[in-house]
Each structure stands twice: as C-alpha cells, then as structure tokens.
Amino acid sequence: MPHARTTTLLTRSAAALLVLLAGAEIGRRIADLPSLPALVDLQFDITPRSQSYKVFEANRIARSTHPRPWPMALRALEISVPWKDGSQLPVIDFLKTTSAHAFVVIQDGKIVYERYIDGYDANSRFTSFSVAKSFVSALTGVALQQGKIRSLGEPIGHYLNSDEIAPAYAGITIGQLLDMRSGIDVDENYGGSLASPVVRMFVSTDLHRFIARRSGLRFAPGSRFEYRSVDTLVLSRVLAHATGMRLSDFAQQVLWEPLGMEQDASWSVDSGQHGVEKAFCCLNTTARDFARLGLLYLDGGRVGDQQVVSPSWAHEPRQPVNHGEVLDYRDGWWIPPGNADDRDFSAIGVFGQYIYVNPATRTVIVKLSDYGVEQDEVLTMLAMRSISHYVAGKNQGLFTNRP
C-alpha cells in the first residue's frame, strides 16, 4: 500500500487535475470550442497541416457536371530560381526546401509542369488555409455582378442583424472587410495556443456565437490595413445573407460548376450542428482545381462564353505596388514587390499554399506545402515569377522526369 503521505499527495493531485479539467471544460463551453476528446483528436502534431481538413466536419462541394480536363503540354524545368542571399536553387531543390507536396505550372491554359512529392498525386486533396480568402473574394465579385449585393460601400448592418454583430461593427463596409480594413479586434497570432483569438476561431464549434461575442475595435474602420482572418469570416456571413445560400452551395453553383472543377471539394465547418464554413481558411480540393481560380482571373473573369466576375473585378489585383520589398494586399489577393511589368499576384495560405497568377506570361502556378508559418513568401513568389518567364519563353518538347 502507498505510504499515507503519498496517498494524500495522490489524492490532492487527482483533485487538482479534476479542478483543472473542470475549468478547462467551463472555458471550452464559454469559448464554443470542441470537447476535450475532440481537441485531442485533432492530432495536429502528427497530421500534416495541409491535411488538417481530415479532422473537421465539412460541407461537400460537388464537382462540375461539365468538367474541363486540363490540356497537357509537359516540359522540363531546367532552370534555377533565385533564393536566399543571392543563391540559386534548381526547381526540384526549391520544392524540397519549401516542403512542397504539389506543384502545378499552367501556361496559356495548358499544364506544362506537374510534380507531386511524398506520395501525393493529382487526385490528392489539400486544405487551402488563407487561399480560401481569394475564393471568398471571387464569390463577393459574383454576388456584386448578380446584384445580390449593391456595392462595396454598403454597411454590413444592412445584412447582419443586431444579434449577429455588435453595434460597433454595423457601419463597417463590405469593401473594408474585403481589404482587411475593418478594425474588428480578433488578433492574428498563429502561436497555436487557445489563448489566441484566431486559434479559438479556427477550432470554434459555433462561429455565429464567436462573431456575436466580439465587440472591440483596434482602430477606426477604414483607417488602415491590418490582416485579420475574422474580416473574411464576417464577409462570408454577409454573402450567406445576401445570396440566401450556404457559402459552400454558392461556391458550387457559381464557381465549381462554370469553372469545370473535376473533383468534389469540401469546406470545413464549425460543427455538423451549425454548418458554418470556416471561410477564412479550410477550402479543400486538388492542386489542379485550385488552379482554375487563377485561370479565371487570368482570363478576365470569363470562362468560355460566361462572364463569372466582371473584367474590372478580375483585373483589380493586377494594380502595381511601389513600396519596397513587402507584399501588398488587395481584394483578397497578395501583390509582390516589383510587379510593374508582370502585374502578378497570388493567393497565399499559411504553411505555403499558393495560387500565383502572372498576366504578362499567362501563367498560373499552384504550390501546396507544409512549410513553416508565413515563411519566405516574397522569395517564393519571386521564384514563381522566374519560372513563369521561363515557361512562357521556352518550348522544350516532352517532359522527361527531370526537375
């Protein structure tokens, strides 16, 4: 038998553990988080971030009834790309260095290079992380073209009720959400702790309630840019009200169907009970189907004879930037430095997800990775710019299995 002192210590430890678990459960309910077993089941330490969609419930997005297979014109990429400290990396080393799983290069509407690593293939599904924000931007453009929202200057209080958003937010405009200028106070810290508001938003089981409980402003709406995932989440709720549809259903109708998506996709949700899409992330599909959004913007918002978004909407991310070596953000897309000639832009998701678009070379590049947090984004875009110029200027015949 244990010594009496040991028994007492064990009893106290058990009691302390029970208090801790009880406190955690109370905190979980207040924050609308998954139950403790579900949090354990997330297993983020062993699940690749690009596959994290597997731990969430999701709304299905059906493939197009008229899929558009990609024409193939495969070539070798016998080049090196600019990298750190003036170094150059062969393409395959660039992909391995940045922990890429999927890399697809499309030039003038044809796949000219395609490589999958670590057992993934063209049918593998990946989560988008913040690449989803560029899809929400496209959906906003569709809703505007269809007249379901009247203008980007409309206050969101025209669509969301007082029990859905705080009064302080009612005057925020749709355009301010789109450009991350709302001032809504939900800190963007990816540290992984549940003390971080954006992490709590990521694992919340009731996103309606999460939004309704926010009331603070970091700054006056419209006064400056500050990247905040909550802006896209609130924008998605405006779209749901304006269209009368779930975000995933609207995406299936106005993007997946006309763009000819070849595979079923999904959008992760807060819970099966509520079914609210994690619109700031977590759109899950294949590399080839991610590329179709880039092609839509490359083609001026048109697919065949159908104008999906207006030409002006599709051209907006092409505007040049003129401030140093940092990225600019516009309408859900990132613009790299030095883009005056290329007018290139990209969707970017944390851990290395990209849909890069270069109008000057008519190139779309998709890169899906598990590479750190917000790591080497400018360098990656400049490397893809280099690749886009190479494939636009070279025609080296059939692909061999060289990098």
Side-chain angles (χ1 to χ4, degrees), residues 74-364:
L74 296 173
R75 312 169 190 170
L77 292 185
E78 295 176 331
I79 60 166
S80 294
V81 298
W83 201 240
K84 296 180 180 179
D85 301 320
S87 64
Q88 299 277 319
L89 288 178
V91 170
I92 189 60
D93 292 340
F94 161 64
L95 298 180
K96 290 179 178 178
T97 296
T98 57
S99 303
H101 302 307
F103 191 70
V104 180
V105 182
I106 293 146
Q107 201 275 318
D108 208 19
K110 302 179 182 67
I111 293 180
V112 297
Y113 185 86
E114 186 171 37
R115 182 177 285 272
Y116 298 93
I117 302 173
D118 302 324
Y120 297 98
D121 59 32
N123 295 316
S124 296
R125 187 182 295 180
F126 299 87
T127 197
S128 63
F129 292 99
S130 289
V131 164
K133 293 179 171 74
S134 302
F135 279 85
V136 174
S137 172
L139 293 172
T140 304
V142 174
L144 189 64
Q145 175 152 305
Q146 293 181 348
K148 292 178 178 174
I149 58 176
R150 290 178 288 278
S151 80
L152 297 183
E154 276 191 288
I156 62 175
H158 290 179
Y159 297 91
L160 302 177
N161 299 323
S162 58
D163 60 342
E164 296 175 285
I165 56 167
Y169 300 158
I172 293 169
T173 68
I174 293 170
Q176 288 165 353
L177 293 175
L178 190 66
D179 284 339
M180 302 282 186
R181 294 176 175 272
S182 77
I184 295 175
D185 190 10
V186 176
D187 190 48
E188 195 83 6
N189 176 5
Y190 303 132
S193 166
L194 289 178
S196 167
V198 74
V199 174
R200 293 203 303 274
M201 185 170 72
F202 181 62
V203 298
S204 173
T205 58
D206 189 344
L207 286 171
H208 279 305
R209 191 177 184 191
F210 181 90
I211 295 170
R213 287 182 162 201
R214 312 276 79 79
S215 59
L217 284 168
R218 293 174 62 85
F219 52 84
S223 62
R224 71 173 191 262
F225 166 79
E226 198 168 271
Y227 186 84
R228 289 290 179 263
S229 290
V230 70
D231 285 14
T232 307
L233 176 62
V234 175
L235 177 58
S236 74
R237 304 319 305 150
V238 171
L239 287 173
H241 280 266
T243 63
M245 302 174 69
R246 298 189 309 181
L247 191 70
S248 45
D249 292 337
F250 188 49
Q252 195 284 325
Q253 181 186 97
V254 302
L255 292 181
W256 256 249
E257 182 61 31
L259 269 58
M261 301 293 197
E262 295 184 87
Q263 302 289 339
D264 287 349
S266 67
W267 212 320
S268 300
V269 299
D270 54 359
S271 63
Q273 177 183 357
H274 301 291
V276 176
E277 293 87 355
K278 301 174 189 286
F280 50 92
C281 71
C282 312
L283 179 59
N284 316 301
T285 191
T286 65
R288 289 183 177 185
D289 280 350
F290 275 128
R292 294 182 192 280
L293 183 70
L295 189 64
L296 175 69
Y297 276 73
L298 192 63
D299 288 342
R302 178 178 290 274
V303 178
D305 295 330
Q306 183 174 353
Q307 194 72 48
V308 177
V309 296
S310 70
S312 61
W313 191 271
H315 281 78
E316 180 61 25
R318 301 185 185 194
Q319 303 303 315
V321 296
N322 297 298
H323 46 75
E325 297 299 316
V326 298
L327 295 169
D328 194 18
Y329 188 85
R330 185 182 296 117
D331 282 8
W333 294 87
W334 291 98
I335 298 94
N339 76 325
D341 293 329
D342 291 81
R343 301 299 176 96
D344 48 349
F345 54 96
S346 185
I348 301 179
V350 69
F351 306 117
Q353 327 309 322
Y354 296 84
I355 304 174
Y356 169 83
V357 183
N358 190 315
T361 62
R362 289 201 50 79
T363 306
V364 175

Side-chain angles (χ1 to χ4, degrees), residues 332-403:
W333 294 87
W334 291 98
I335 298 94
N339 76 325
D341 293 329
D342 291 81
R343 301 299 176 96
D344 48 349
F345 54 96
S346 185
I348 301 179
V350 69
F351 306 117
Q353 327 309 322
Y354 296 84
I355 304 174
Y356 169 83
V357 183
N358 190 315
T361 62
R362 289 201 50 79
T363 306
V364 175
I365 300 176
V366 170
K367 181 179 183 292
L368 305 171
S369 315
D370 279 299
Y371 184 52
V373 178
E374 300 178 295
Q375 195 165 350
D376 297 326
E377 292 171 340
V378 171
L379 285 171
T380 298
M381 290 182 69
L382 296 181
M384 291 192 289
R385 181 186 288 169
S386 179
I387 290 169
S388 75
H389 280 271
Y390 178 84
V391 298
K394 297 289 184 180
N395 187 357
Q396 296 181 309
L398 296 176
F399 179 71
T400 61
N401 197 32
R402 293 175 294 172

Side-chain angles (χ1 to χ4, degrees), residues 34-43 55:
S35 64
L36 291 175
L39 283 173
V40 173
D41 286 343
L42 291 178
Q43 298 180 358
V55 303

